[in-house]
Amino acid sequence: MGLVKKNEVYEGEVVDLTHEGHGVVKKERYPIFIPQTLVDEKIKYKVIKVKKNFAIGKLIEVQSPSQDRVEPPCVYYQQCGGCQLQHLSYEAQLEMKRKQVINLFHHKGKMTHVPIHPTVGMEHPWHYRNKSQIPVGTGRHNEVEMGFYRQRSHQIIDMEQCLIQYDDQNEMMNMVKDLLKKYHIAPYDEQQHKGLVRHLVVRKGYYTQEIMVIFVINGTKLPYQDEIVAALTQKFKNIKSIKLNFQHDRSNVVMGKTSRTIYGQEIIEDQLEQLTFEIGDLSFYQINVTQTQKLYAKALEYAKLTGRETVLDAYCGIGTIGLFMAPHAKHVYGVEVVAEAIEDAQRNAQKNHISNTTFVAGAAEDVILKWQKEGIQPDVVTVDPPRKGCDETFIQTLNQLAPQRIVYVSCNPSTQLRDIESLTDQYELKEITPVDMFPHTTHVETVALLERK
Ligand code: SAH
């Protein structure tokens, strides 16, 4: 406190980068966090917020740039809250993500002997998202606006394209914007809870190229529906499904619980390696297909299956990891808390003629106890929990079930470290591979291999 003042301009050198991608300048030991700056850079910044233990600054000028600094290719980058690392070269992004895992496991967890491999990156790290959820709103002059939110706000940046979405998604966004203008269809207004169109959601199969378009509306029907469907399907021959999704709640949740198909089929399909998956409007499906294949291939390599193993796939979603492993195992048991996802997993197994899987709906921590009582003895367990990591009961039961190997996939290495620390009495952490699922954002995904001592 007292070391910097709000609205004052200072000069300093960036000494560190936080996991949110913010540069850190220190005054004595007091940190000032400044977005869009990089380690070793000399910068001029303005303090915009002063708190007891830290301050936040805004970059004014880079006086001497880092060797890793690149020109962000996106014109909306300075304002948009979607990406955080476009000013850092892709090579350096991969290294930053690896360092974050090293800091956690080598330094915090003191597991200094464990190899943390280089982050597996993308060859062309742009246009990788197969799903876009684009907010629709009204601009200052009453015009329709579509694009992503400004950082820490719900103000829409009206955009023509987003460089991490597929090209089709961008073209669709522009076409829908024109159609809404042409037919005077009102965008939703969050403040007043009035107006109709809230989001445009577009999903596209990476291999199949099949497209699903979803209008998320605060209402029951879309005016000029026939004209809009005709215009879209005329231009995009690969549209297989158009839906209305009904979201009447005053909330930030993008999609409501019910939808109606207004054109074509209920689902689209996509492929991961040799497997076909059905994708609905509400089901979870990995966003970055090429990287997902690399992630699952690494998980399969770590599982070292010979065809004789019983495998548990915990937090299985629509069964993707388990179905990847099934052809190489004796039997796969999958568990997932969302019942619809389990129905998808069962259908996906059938569709791919895989008959050695059992998928059960329920919390992993409960179902694993049930399996233990039934005497199921897994050789390999894969886990892929949400950001908060695994439940304590789950980890305890896992220790008792004593599989030979545990393959832990995580989207949050800090909870992964916590869970792995609860397993290290009986298990040795052998290695970790980070995989870049979300280039230009700060998200880090990892696969870890544990073997029984
Ligand atoms: N393995 C899948 C999904 C991973 S996402 C894939 O690669 O596609 C994590 C999943 O964990 C989500 O589907 C979420 O619904 C599920 N989940 C969250 N809490 C859970 C719990 N307590 N028990 C089982 N599944 C849970």
Side-chain angles (χ1 to χ4, degrees):
M1 254 328 220
L3 287 167
V4 294
K5 276 206 199 95
K6 192 173 164 169
N7 291 327
E8 291 284 310
V9 173
Y10 300 89
E11 290 183 1
E13 183 167 336
V14 180
V15 292
D16 203 359
L17 201 59
T18 68
H19 66 273
E20 290 160 309
H22 299 166
V24 186
V25 169
K26 287 198 174 158
K27 286 247 176 217
E28 295 173 25
R29 297 184 65 187
Y30 181 82
I32 302 121
F33 300 112
I34 306 149
Q36 301 186 6
T37 64
L38 299 172
V39 173
D40 290 339
E41 290 187 329
K42 294 201 174 57
I43 59 161
K44 201 184 254 184
Y45 62 96
K46 183 175 177 176
V47 170
I48 53 173
K49 196 183 252 179
V50 180
K51 297 269 189 190
K52 186 158 173 263
N53 297 321
F54 67 92
I56 300 200
K58 185 174 187 297
L59 176 65
I60 301 218
E61 189 193 336
V62 181
Q63 295 165 318
S64 78
S66 152
Q67 285 183 349
D68 297 327
R69 180 171 281 277
V70 292
E71 192 59 41
C74 171
V75 295
Y76 310 104
Y77 179 60
Q78 307 298 334
Q79 303 112 55
C80 182
C83 295
Q84 303 83 35
L85 299 177
Q86 279 193 21
H87 60 293
L88 182 60
S89 75
Y90 188 55
E91 286 310 305
Q93 288 181 25
L94 297 177
E95 192 47 34
M96 172 198 164
K97 293 184 184 190
R98 178 184 186 210
K99 264 201 196 125
Q100 203 179 311
V101 182
I102 289 177
N103 277 339
L104 278 166
F105 283 83
H106 286 186
H107 304 145
K108 188 159 181 249
K110 302 198 169 53
M111 303 176 190
T112 44
H113 59 283
V114 178
I116 314 276
H117 299 294
T119 310
V120 179
M122 288 188 86
E123 203 179 332
H124 305 291
W126 299 101
H127 302 290
Y128 62 81
R129 283 188 65 103
N130 60 11
K131 176 185 180 184
S132 57
Q133 308 194 118
I134 309 156
V136 184
T138 308
R140 238 179 271 153
H141 307 292
N142 237 6
E143 71 283 22
V144 180
E145 289 191 330
M146 289 177 75
F148 295 98
Y149 293 132
R150 266 173 214 281
Q151 293 152 21
R152 291 176 292 277
S153 99
H154 267 209
Q155 198 188 344
I156 292 170
I157 303 168
D158 192 39
M159 25 180 98
E160 276 173 25
Q161 64 165 336
C162 163
L163 297 179
I164 64 172
Q165 314 276 344
Y166 290 170
D167 281 333
D168 267 355
Q169 259 101 332
N170 288 323
E171 276 183 52
M172 185 87 64
M173 168 173 80
N174 291 321
M175 188 165 182
V176 167
K177 205 189 293 181
D178 289 342
L179 288 167
L180 296 181
K181 283 180 192 164
K182 178 174 174 188
Y183 294 115
H184 302 285
I185 299 172
Y188 178 67
D189 177 339
E190 246 181 12
Q191 304 293 327
Q192 311 286 331
H193 191 46
K194 275 191 190 139
L196 187 68
V197 185
R198 299 174 68 130
H199 275 86
L200 174 72
V201 178
V202 185
R203 304 186 89 160
K204 183 177 173 193
Y206 178 81
Y207 286 103
T208 59
Q209 304 279 305
E210 294 183 359
I211 294 179
M212 173 182 282
V213 185
I214 307 158
F215 290 88
V216 182
I217 57 174
N218 172 43
T220 53
K221 54 180 199 252
L222 183 67
Y224 299 95
Q225 177 181 300
D226 294 345
E227 287 83 350
I228 290 172
V229 166
L232 290 177
T233 51
Q234 176 73 26
K235 170 142 179 159
F236 297 91
K237 301 291 181 212
N238 43 344
I239 291 182
K240 293 287 171 197
S241 172
I242 303 181
K243 293 176 187 244
L244 301 181
N245 173 269
F246 309 107
Q247 172 54 299
H248 300 147
D249 293 354
R250 207 170 188 153
S251 98
N252 287 341
V253 179
V254 174
M255 306 245 293
K257 292 198 171 67
T258 53
S259 303
R260 187 169 75 233
T261 304
I262 58 171
Y263 170 84
Q265 53 201 47
E266 296 284 322
I267 52 111
I268 57 170
E269 285 187 352
D270 199 18
Q271 261 155 274
L272 284 174
E273 303 289 354
Q274 71 285 19
L275 299 175
T276 304
F277 289 92
E278 288 189 356
I279 308 166
D281 47 338
L282 295 170
S283 39
F284 175 85
Y285 186 66
Q286 295 278 359
I287 292 295
N288 184 337
V289 171
T290 43
Q291 291 304 93
T292 299
Q293 293 184 156
K294 294 179 195 167
L295 178 76
Y296 291 175
K298 190 48 82 176
L300 186 59
E301 176 196 318
Y302 283 175
K304 297 186 185 127
L305 300 175
T306 64
R308 292 190 296 271
E309 294 81 3
T310 299
V311 177
L312 301 191
D313 177 10
Y315 310 86
C316 69
I318 59 169
T320 36
I321 296 178
L323 292 169
F324 239 62
M325 302 218 168
H328 310 277
K330 186 167 117 210
H331 199 90
V332 175
Y333 293 86
V335 57
E336 157 63 46
V337 78
V338 176
E340 290 84 10
I342 286 295
E343 285 168 26
D344 290 341
Q346 286 159 344
R347 243 197 345 267
N348 286 328
Q350 267 176 17
K351 188 168 208 102
N352 291 290
H353 312 289
I354 293 174
S355 54
N356 58 337
T357 54
T358 309
F359 290 104
V360 178
E365 53 276 22
D366 300 336
V367 174
I368 198 174
L369 282 171
K370 183 177 118 319
W371 281 337
Q372 188 184 31
K373 284 203 193 94
E374 288 170 9
I376 290 167
Q377 177 53 58
D379 304 292
V380 176
V381 175
T382 68
V383 295
D384 184 8
R387 291 189 64 76
K388 67 174 197 273
C390 299
D391 183 275
E392 247 184 84
T393 327
F394 178 85
I395 298 283
Q396 277 170 19
T397 319
L398 198 54
N399 267 319
Q400 290 162 13
L401 282 173
Q404 193 55 39
R405 272 182 292 289
I406 299 169
V407 180
Y408 191 143
V409 179
S410 168
C411 55
N412 183 355
S414 60
T415 55
Q416 184 184 35
L417 171 63
R418 179 203 66 203
D419 290 345
I420 286 179
E421 282 176 331
S422 316
L423 288 163
T424 44
D425 278 350
Q426 296 185 49
Y427 287 88
E428 191 182 345
L429 176 60
K430 289 286 190 187
E431 54 187 301
I432 300 183
T433 303
V435 178
D436 192 24
M437 300 290 276
F438 310 100
H440 316 295
T441 77
T442 50
H443 295 286
V444 184
E445 186 103 7
T446 50
V447 203
L449 168 63
L450 293 113
E451 281 192 6
R452 204 168 154 71
K453 285 179 184 165

